Short mmCIF file of all heavy atoms in Angstrom, two decimals:
data_model
loop_
_atom_site.label_atom_id
_atom_site.label_comp_id
_atom_site.label_asym_id
_atom_site.label_seq_id
_atom_site.Cartn_x
_atom_site.Cartn_y
_atom_site.Cartn_z
N GLU A 38 4.54 0.31 -10.32
CA GLU A 38 4.99 -0.99 -9.79
C GLU A 38 4.47 -1.21 -8.38
O GLU A 38 4.05 -2.31 -8.02
CB GLU A 38 6.52 -1.05 -9.79
CG GLU A 38 7.04 -2.38 -9.26
CD GLU A 38 8.55 -2.45 -9.20
OE1 GLU A 38 9.22 -1.94 -10.11
OE2 GLU A 38 9.06 -3.04 -8.22
N LEU A 39 4.48 -0.18 -7.57
CA LEU A 39 3.93 -0.27 -6.21
C LEU A 39 2.46 -0.68 -6.24
O LEU A 39 2.04 -1.58 -5.51
CB LEU A 39 4.09 1.08 -5.49
CG LEU A 39 3.34 1.27 -4.18
CD1 LEU A 39 3.77 0.25 -3.14
CD2 LEU A 39 3.55 2.68 -3.66
N GLN A 40 1.69 -0.06 -7.11
CA GLN A 40 0.26 -0.38 -7.21
C GLN A 40 0.06 -1.83 -7.63
O GLN A 40 -0.81 -2.52 -7.07
CB GLN A 40 -0.42 0.57 -8.20
CG GLN A 40 -0.49 1.99 -7.71
CD GLN A 40 -0.94 2.97 -8.78
OE1 GLN A 40 -0.59 2.84 -9.94
NE2 GLN A 40 -1.70 3.98 -8.38
N VAL A 41 0.85 -2.31 -8.57
CA VAL A 41 0.74 -3.69 -9.02
C VAL A 41 1.03 -4.65 -7.85
O VAL A 41 0.32 -5.64 -7.64
CB VAL A 41 1.69 -3.96 -10.21
CG1 VAL A 41 1.80 -5.44 -10.50
CG2 VAL A 41 1.22 -3.20 -11.44
N ARG A 42 2.05 -4.33 -7.08
CA ARG A 42 2.41 -5.19 -5.95
C ARG A 42 1.35 -5.14 -4.84
O ARG A 42 1.02 -6.16 -4.24
CB ARG A 42 3.78 -4.82 -5.41
CG ARG A 42 4.90 -5.23 -6.33
CD ARG A 42 6.27 -4.86 -5.77
NE ARG A 42 7.33 -5.18 -6.69
CZ ARG A 42 7.93 -6.37 -6.78
NH1 ARG A 42 7.56 -7.36 -6.01
NH2 ARG A 42 8.90 -6.57 -7.66
N LEU A 43 0.83 -3.96 -4.57
CA LEU A 43 -0.21 -3.84 -3.53
C LEU A 43 -1.44 -4.67 -3.87
O LEU A 43 -2.07 -5.26 -2.98
CB LEU A 43 -0.60 -2.37 -3.34
CG LEU A 43 0.42 -1.47 -2.65
CD1 LEU A 43 -0.01 -0.01 -2.73
CD2 LEU A 43 0.66 -1.89 -1.21
N LEU A 44 -1.78 -4.73 -5.15
CA LEU A 44 -2.95 -5.51 -5.58
C LEU A 44 -2.77 -7.01 -5.35
O LEU A 44 -3.76 -7.75 -5.28
CB LEU A 44 -3.25 -5.25 -7.05
CG LEU A 44 -4.01 -3.97 -7.35
CD1 LEU A 44 -4.05 -3.71 -8.85
CD2 LEU A 44 -5.43 -4.05 -6.80
N GLN A 45 -1.54 -7.46 -5.22
CA GLN A 45 -1.28 -8.89 -5.05
C GLN A 45 -1.58 -9.38 -3.64
O GLN A 45 -1.67 -10.58 -3.41
CB GLN A 45 0.19 -9.20 -5.39
CG GLN A 45 0.52 -9.00 -6.85
CD GLN A 45 1.98 -9.24 -7.15
OE1 GLN A 45 2.61 -10.12 -6.56
NE2 GLN A 45 2.53 -8.46 -8.06
N ILE A 46 -1.74 -8.46 -2.70
CA ILE A 46 -2.03 -8.85 -1.32
C ILE A 46 -3.48 -8.48 -1.01
O ILE A 46 -3.84 -7.30 -0.99
CB ILE A 46 -1.07 -8.15 -0.34
CG1 ILE A 46 0.37 -8.54 -0.67
CG2 ILE A 46 -1.42 -8.52 1.10
CD1 ILE A 46 1.41 -7.83 0.14
N PRO A 47 -4.32 -9.49 -0.81
CA PRO A 47 -5.75 -9.24 -0.58
C PRO A 47 -5.99 -8.29 0.60
O PRO A 47 -5.32 -8.37 1.63
CB PRO A 47 -6.31 -10.64 -0.27
CG PRO A 47 -5.34 -11.59 -0.90
CD PRO A 47 -4.00 -10.92 -0.79
N GLY A 48 -6.94 -7.38 0.39
CA GLY A 48 -7.36 -6.49 1.46
C GLY A 48 -6.54 -5.22 1.61
O GLY A 48 -6.81 -4.42 2.50
N LEU A 49 -5.54 -5.01 0.76
CA LEU A 49 -4.73 -3.79 0.87
C LEU A 49 -5.19 -2.70 -0.09
O LEU A 49 -5.36 -1.56 0.30
CB LEU A 49 -3.25 -4.08 0.57
CG LEU A 49 -2.46 -4.86 1.60
CD1 LEU A 49 -1.01 -4.97 1.16
CD2 LEU A 49 -2.55 -4.21 2.97
N TYR A 50 -5.37 -3.08 -1.34
CA TYR A 50 -5.63 -2.10 -2.40
C TYR A 50 -6.63 -2.66 -3.39
O TYR A 50 -6.57 -2.39 -4.57
CB TYR A 50 -4.29 -1.77 -3.07
CG TYR A 50 -4.28 -0.61 -4.04
CD1 TYR A 50 -4.65 0.67 -3.64
CD2 TYR A 50 -3.87 -0.80 -5.35
CE1 TYR A 50 -4.60 1.73 -4.53
CE2 TYR A 50 -3.81 0.26 -6.25
CZ TYR A 50 -4.19 1.53 -5.83
OH TYR A 50 -4.14 2.58 -6.71
N ASP A 51 -7.54 -3.46 -2.88
CA ASP A 51 -8.53 -4.13 -3.74
C ASP A 51 -9.27 -3.13 -4.61
O ASP A 51 -9.85 -2.16 -4.12
CB ASP A 51 -9.52 -4.92 -2.89
CG ASP A 51 -8.87 -6.06 -2.13
OD1 ASP A 51 -7.76 -6.48 -2.52
OD2 ASP A 51 -9.45 -6.51 -1.12
N GLY A 52 -9.22 -3.34 -5.92
CA GLY A 52 -9.92 -2.49 -6.86
C GLY A 52 -9.25 -1.15 -7.10
O GLY A 52 -9.81 -0.30 -7.77
N GLY A 53 -8.07 -0.96 -6.53
CA GLY A 53 -7.37 0.31 -6.70
C GLY A 53 -6.86 0.48 -8.12
O GLY A 53 -6.64 -0.48 -8.85
N ALA A 54 -6.70 1.73 -8.51
CA ALA A 54 -6.23 2.05 -9.87
C ALA A 54 -4.75 1.72 -10.03
O ALA A 54 -3.97 1.81 -9.09
CB ALA A 54 -6.45 3.53 -10.13
N ILE A 55 -4.39 1.32 -11.24
CA ILE A 55 -2.99 1.14 -11.61
C ILE A 55 -2.72 2.20 -12.67
O ILE A 55 -2.79 1.97 -13.86
CB ILE A 55 -2.72 -0.27 -12.16
CG1 ILE A 55 -3.10 -1.30 -11.12
CG2 ILE A 55 -1.25 -0.41 -12.55
CD1 ILE A 55 -2.89 -2.72 -11.55
N ASP A 56 -2.43 3.40 -12.17
CA ASP A 56 -2.26 4.54 -13.08
C ASP A 56 -0.96 5.30 -12.86
O ASP A 56 -0.71 6.32 -13.47
CB ASP A 56 -3.45 5.49 -12.95
CG ASP A 56 -3.63 6.03 -11.53
OD1 ASP A 56 -2.80 5.74 -10.65
OD2 ASP A 56 -4.62 6.75 -11.30
N GLY A 57 -0.12 4.81 -11.93
CA GLY A 57 1.15 5.46 -11.68
C GLY A 57 1.05 6.73 -10.87
O GLY A 57 1.98 7.52 -10.81
N SER A 58 -0.07 6.93 -10.19
CA SER A 58 -0.28 8.14 -9.40
C SER A 58 -0.45 7.77 -7.92
O SER A 58 -1.35 7.00 -7.57
CB SER A 58 -1.53 8.87 -9.90
OG SER A 58 -1.73 10.04 -9.15
N PHE A 59 0.41 8.30 -7.07
CA PHE A 59 0.40 8.00 -5.64
C PHE A 59 -0.59 8.95 -4.97
O PHE A 59 -0.24 10.05 -4.54
CB PHE A 59 1.79 8.18 -5.05
CG PHE A 59 2.03 7.52 -3.72
CD1 PHE A 59 3.12 6.70 -3.56
CD2 PHE A 59 1.20 7.72 -2.63
CE1 PHE A 59 3.39 6.10 -2.33
CE2 PHE A 59 1.44 7.12 -1.41
CZ PHE A 59 2.54 6.30 -1.26
N GLY A 60 -1.83 8.49 -4.88
CA GLY A 60 -2.88 9.28 -4.26
C GLY A 60 -3.21 8.77 -2.87
O GLY A 60 -2.50 7.95 -2.28
N THR A 61 -4.33 9.26 -2.35
CA THR A 61 -4.77 8.90 -1.00
C THR A 61 -4.98 7.40 -0.84
O THR A 61 -4.59 6.82 0.17
CB THR A 61 -6.08 9.66 -0.66
OG1 THR A 61 -5.84 11.06 -0.80
CG2 THR A 61 -6.54 9.37 0.76
N GLU A 62 -5.58 6.76 -1.85
CA GLU A 62 -5.83 5.31 -1.77
C GLU A 62 -4.52 4.52 -1.67
O GLU A 62 -4.44 3.55 -0.93
CB GLU A 62 -6.63 4.83 -2.97
CG GLU A 62 -8.09 5.23 -2.95
CD GLU A 62 -8.85 4.65 -4.13
OE1 GLU A 62 -8.70 3.43 -4.39
OE2 GLU A 62 -9.58 5.41 -4.79
N VAL A 63 -3.52 4.93 -2.42
CA VAL A 63 -2.22 4.24 -2.38
C VAL A 63 -1.58 4.45 -1.01
O VAL A 63 -1.06 3.52 -0.40
CB VAL A 63 -1.29 4.72 -3.51
CG1 VAL A 63 0.09 4.11 -3.38
CG2 VAL A 63 -1.89 4.40 -4.87
N ARG A 64 -1.62 5.69 -0.51
CA ARG A 64 -1.05 5.98 0.81
C ARG A 64 -1.71 5.12 1.88
O ARG A 64 -1.04 4.54 2.73
CB ARG A 64 -1.22 7.47 1.16
CG ARG A 64 -0.64 7.81 2.53
CD ARG A 64 -0.83 9.27 2.92
NE ARG A 64 -2.18 9.77 2.73
CZ ARG A 64 -3.20 9.57 3.58
NH1 ARG A 64 -3.02 8.83 4.66
NH2 ARG A 64 -4.39 10.08 3.33
N GLN A 65 -3.04 5.00 1.82
CA GLN A 65 -3.76 4.19 2.80
C GLN A 65 -3.41 2.71 2.66
O GLN A 65 -3.28 2.00 3.66
CB GLN A 65 -5.26 4.41 2.66
CG GLN A 65 -5.70 5.79 3.08
CD GLN A 65 -7.15 6.11 2.74
OE1 GLN A 65 -7.78 5.43 1.93
NE2 GLN A 65 -7.67 7.17 3.35
N ALA A 66 -3.23 2.25 1.43
CA ALA A 66 -2.85 0.84 1.20
C ALA A 66 -1.45 0.57 1.73
O ALA A 66 -1.21 -0.47 2.36
CB ALA A 66 -2.94 0.51 -0.29
N VAL A 67 -0.54 1.50 1.52
CA VAL A 67 0.83 1.34 2.05
C VAL A 67 0.78 1.31 3.57
O VAL A 67 1.43 0.48 4.21
CB VAL A 67 1.76 2.47 1.53
CG1 VAL A 67 3.09 2.45 2.28
CG2 VAL A 67 1.98 2.32 0.03
N ALA A 68 -0.01 2.19 4.17
CA ALA A 68 -0.15 2.22 5.63
C ALA A 68 -0.73 0.90 6.15
O ALA A 68 -0.27 0.38 7.18
CB ALA A 68 -1.03 3.39 6.06
N ARG A 69 -1.73 0.35 5.46
CA ARG A 69 -2.30 -0.95 5.86
C ARG A 69 -1.24 -2.04 5.79
O ARG A 69 -1.14 -2.90 6.67
CB ARG A 69 -3.50 -1.30 4.99
CG ARG A 69 -4.79 -0.59 5.38
CD ARG A 69 -6.01 -1.16 4.66
NE ARG A 69 -6.02 -0.85 3.24
CZ ARG A 69 -6.50 0.28 2.72
NH1 ARG A 69 -6.99 1.21 3.51
NH2 ARG A 69 -6.50 0.48 1.42
N PHE A 70 -0.45 -2.02 4.71
CA PHE A 70 0.61 -3.02 4.56
C PHE A 70 1.61 -2.89 5.71
O PHE A 70 2.01 -3.89 6.32
CB PHE A 70 1.32 -2.84 3.21
CG PHE A 70 2.51 -3.74 3.05
CD1 PHE A 70 2.35 -5.08 2.74
CD2 PHE A 70 3.80 -3.25 3.22
CE1 PHE A 70 3.43 -5.93 2.61
CE2 PHE A 70 4.89 -4.09 3.09
CZ PHE A 70 4.71 -5.42 2.78
N GLN A 71 2.04 -1.66 6.00
CA GLN A 71 3.00 -1.44 7.08
C GLN A 71 2.47 -1.95 8.42
O GLN A 71 3.20 -2.56 9.19
CB GLN A 71 3.35 0.05 7.18
CG GLN A 71 4.16 0.55 6.00
CD GLN A 71 4.24 2.07 5.95
OE1 GLN A 71 3.30 2.77 6.34
NE2 GLN A 71 5.37 2.58 5.47
N LYS A 72 1.19 -1.69 8.68
CA LYS A 72 0.60 -2.12 9.94
C LYS A 72 0.45 -3.64 9.99
O LYS A 72 0.83 -4.28 10.97
CB LYS A 72 -0.77 -1.45 10.13
CG LYS A 72 -1.41 -1.78 11.45
CD LYS A 72 -2.70 -1.01 11.65
CE LYS A 72 -3.29 -1.37 13.01
NZ LYS A 72 -4.52 -0.63 13.28
N ARG A 73 -0.07 -4.22 8.91
CA ARG A 73 -0.31 -5.66 8.87
C ARG A 73 0.98 -6.46 9.03
O ARG A 73 1.01 -7.49 9.69
CB ARG A 73 -1.01 -6.07 7.57
CG ARG A 73 -1.38 -7.55 7.54
CD ARG A 73 -2.02 -7.98 6.26
NE ARG A 73 -3.26 -7.27 5.99
CZ ARG A 73 -3.97 -7.41 4.88
NH1 ARG A 73 -3.56 -8.23 3.93
NH2 ARG A 73 -5.08 -6.72 4.69
N PHE A 74 2.06 -5.97 8.43
CA PHE A 74 3.33 -6.71 8.45
C PHE A 74 4.35 -6.10 9.42
O PHE A 74 5.52 -6.45 9.38
CB PHE A 74 3.91 -6.79 7.03
CG PHE A 74 3.09 -7.67 6.14
CD1 PHE A 74 2.06 -7.15 5.37
CD2 PHE A 74 3.32 -9.04 6.07
CE1 PHE A 74 1.30 -7.96 4.55
CE2 PHE A 74 2.55 -9.86 5.27
CZ PHE A 74 1.54 -9.32 4.50
N SER A 75 3.89 -5.20 10.28
CA SER A 75 4.73 -4.58 11.32
C SER A 75 6.03 -3.99 10.76
O SER A 75 7.11 -4.23 11.28
CB SER A 75 5.06 -5.61 12.41
OG SER A 75 3.89 -6.12 12.99
N ILE A 76 5.89 -3.20 9.70
CA ILE A 76 7.04 -2.56 9.07
C ILE A 76 7.40 -1.31 9.87
O ILE A 76 6.55 -0.46 10.11
CB ILE A 76 6.74 -2.17 7.60
CG1 ILE A 76 6.17 -3.36 6.82
CG2 ILE A 76 7.98 -1.60 6.93
CD1 ILE A 76 7.04 -4.57 6.79
N ARG A 77 8.64 -1.21 10.26
CA ARG A 77 9.13 -0.06 11.02
C ARG A 77 10.21 0.66 10.20
O ARG A 77 10.82 0.08 9.32
CB ARG A 77 9.75 -0.51 12.35
CG ARG A 77 8.82 -1.31 13.23
CD ARG A 77 7.84 -0.41 13.97
NE ARG A 77 7.00 -1.18 14.86
CZ ARG A 77 5.74 -1.47 14.62
NH1 ARG A 77 5.18 -1.10 13.52
NH2 ARG A 77 5.04 -2.15 15.50
N GLY A 78 10.44 1.91 10.52
CA GLY A 78 11.54 2.64 9.90
C GLY A 78 11.14 3.58 8.79
O GLY A 78 11.91 4.43 8.39
N ASP A 79 9.93 3.43 8.26
CA ASP A 79 9.42 4.34 7.24
C ASP A 79 8.22 5.07 7.83
O ASP A 79 7.47 4.53 8.64
CB ASP A 79 8.97 3.59 5.98
CG ASP A 79 10.13 2.94 5.23
OD1 ASP A 79 11.24 3.48 5.28
OD2 ASP A 79 9.90 1.90 4.60
N GLU A 80 8.03 6.31 7.41
CA GLU A 80 6.87 7.07 7.83
C GLU A 80 5.60 6.35 7.38
O GLU A 80 5.57 5.75 6.30
CB GLU A 80 6.97 8.45 7.18
CG GLU A 80 5.94 9.44 7.64
CD GLU A 80 6.11 10.78 6.95
OE1 GLU A 80 7.23 11.11 6.50
OE2 GLU A 80 5.10 11.50 6.85
N THR A 81 4.57 6.39 8.19
CA THR A 81 3.31 5.72 7.86
C THR A 81 2.77 6.22 6.52
O THR A 81 2.65 7.42 6.31
CB THR A 81 2.26 5.94 8.97
OG1 THR A 81 2.78 5.43 10.19
CG2 THR A 81 0.95 5.23 8.64
N GLY A 82 2.49 5.27 5.62
CA GLY A 82 1.95 5.60 4.31
C GLY A 82 2.99 6.00 3.29
O GLY A 82 2.65 6.29 2.14
N VAL A 83 4.26 5.99 3.68
CA VAL A 83 5.35 6.35 2.77
C VAL A 83 6.08 5.07 2.37
O VAL A 83 6.41 4.24 3.22
CB VAL A 83 6.32 7.35 3.43
CG1 VAL A 83 7.54 7.60 2.55
CG2 VAL A 83 5.60 8.66 3.72
#
């Protein structure tokens, strides 16, 4: 579900796999999302 949602925001997880596996690409996409939207309170990439 996280991967599906990340794909909906351009530039976060473009072309990323939707396989249910939280790998390096997903961690980097989550970190980009956190930075772009100034999300605080969660560890970077978590």
Side-chain angles (χ1 to χ4, degrees):
E38 181 182 321
L39 168 60
Q40 292 170 323
V41 168
R42 288 180 184 274
L43 288 171
L44 280 171
Q45 293 177 36
I46 300 175
L49 288 183
Y50 190 58
D51 295 340
I55 301 179
D56 59 4
S58 181
F59 198 128
T61 303
E62 287 184 48
V63 175
R64 180 182 49 79
Q65 291 171 344
V67 170
R69 281 191 290 275
F70 174 77
Q71 290 168 327
K72 184 175 181 178
R73 185 182 299 175
F74 291 91
S75 302
I76 309 302
R77 304 281 183 255
D79 293 330
E80 187 180 335
T81 301
V83 173

